[in-house]
Amino acid sequence: MAETSATESAAVPSRDPEYRWNLLSAIVLSLATLASAWCGFQASLWNHAYSHESRTATGERFESERQAAIADRQLSNDLSIFSLWLEAKVSENEVLASEVEQRFQPHFQEAFDTWIAFPVEAGMHVPAGTPFEQAEYVLPTQKEADAATARAEEALEAADFASEASNSYVLNSLLFASVLFLAGIASKLSLPRMSHGVVVVAGVVMAASIVLLLTQPVRF
């Protein structure tokens, strides 16, 4: 008989409405704590990704500027050599023109060969236009500069994405912190109805926060 009474008294708390509300509050607190920790972890990872991509973008911009400066010098050099060749050609100094042509850079030689194959108009020594107008004239360093610029833009896009992801996790962390606050003070309220209402609000906010959390990118 004593054992039956003890069993019934132990089962009372599980049938007590306040016990259930306290259990619900504890579950909300536990989930919000875990979710908040996860948000902090993800925000830290995405912030690290933002820093990495920002440094990459800065480095690629410097590389692009360096290659572009080299390309400018190469263009100036090509212009000078071509001007010397053109002067020798117009002066009909074939020996000098041949010597100058031997100093053409490979990237310029291809464009020059295309241009020089064009027909020469009457009264002219060379075809119309210049090798610089040909599609074959491509400075290798300019290609490197363009490629570095493209990589810098990709890194900037990745940095922006990482920054937005980090900010989203910080916002979500704040939402879960509000859930922790609401669920925490619910047990301190003396009026049961008010305490239950706060627990319900905390549960709704947590559910909305979890839905938002599931839409965010994950990084490992």
Side-chain angles (χ1 to χ4, degrees):
M1 193 73 178
E3 292 180 358
T4 303
S5 178
T7 303
E8 290 178 352
S9 62
V12 169
S14 63
R15 297 194 298 268
D16 183 7
E18 287 305 314
Y19 172 81
R20 295 173 182 175
W21 280 105
N22 290 336
L23 178 61
L24 177 60
S25 178
I27 293 174
V28 170
L29 278 170
S30 300
L31 292 177
T33 300
L34 292 174
S36 182
W38 172 255
C39 287
F41 174 66
Q42 285 295 312
S44 176
L45 290 180
W46 283 108
N47 187 60
H48 176 74
Y50 166 76
S51 300
H52 173 73
E53 295 296 344
S54 295
R55 289 194 300 270
T56 300
T58 300
E60 293 295 350
R61 282 199 299 266
F62 282 135
E63 177 64 14
S64 175
E65 293 172 1
R66 187 180 73 85
Q67 294 291 348
I70 296 174
D72 289 341
R73 292 196 295 270
Q74 288 179 337
L75 177 60
S76 298
N77 184 62
D78 291 340
L79 285 169
S80 299
I81 293 178
F82 178 70
S83 297
L84 183 59
W85 176 90
L86 186 60
E87 183 180 348
K89 195 69 175 178
V90 172
S91 303
E92 298 183 353
N93 189 342
E94 296 297 334
V95 175
L96 177 59
S98 178
E99 291 182 359
V100 173
E101 187 174 344
Q102 293 176 11
R103 288 166 172 76
F104 288 164
Q105 295 294 319
H107 66 270
F108 180 76
Q109 185 69 58
E110 184 179 359
F112 177 83
D113 292 341
T114 300
W115 170 76
I116 202 64
F118 292 157
V120 180
E121 298 179 3
M124 302 290 290
H125 293 85
V126 295
T130 68
F132 302 97
E133 300 170 356
Q134 309 309 311
E136 290 78 5
Y137 183 73
V138 178
L139 290 166
T141 47
Q142 185 60 53
K143 291 177 63 176
E144 290 295 329
D146 294 341
T149 299
R151 291 193 297 269
E153 291 176 354
E154 290 178 0
L156 280 176
E157 291 179 1
D160 290 339
F161 181 83
S163 177
E164 292 177 1
S166 178
N167 292 337
S168 296
Y169 274 108
V170 170
L171 174 60
N172 230 8
S173 181
L174 292 176
L175 291 175
F176 284 117
S178 67
V179 172
L180 290 172
F181 171 75
L182 291 173
I185 66 171
S187 61
K188 307 299 181 181
L189 299 176
S190 57
L191 296 178
R193 183 173 297 179
M194 182 177 295
S195 175
H196 301 167
V198 172
V199 172
V200 170
V201 172
V204 171
V205 175
M206 187 187 69
S209 301
I210 290 177
V211 172
L212 179 61
L213 180 64
L214 294 175
T215 65
Q216 294 175 352
V218 177
R219 189 177 182 87
F220 294 99

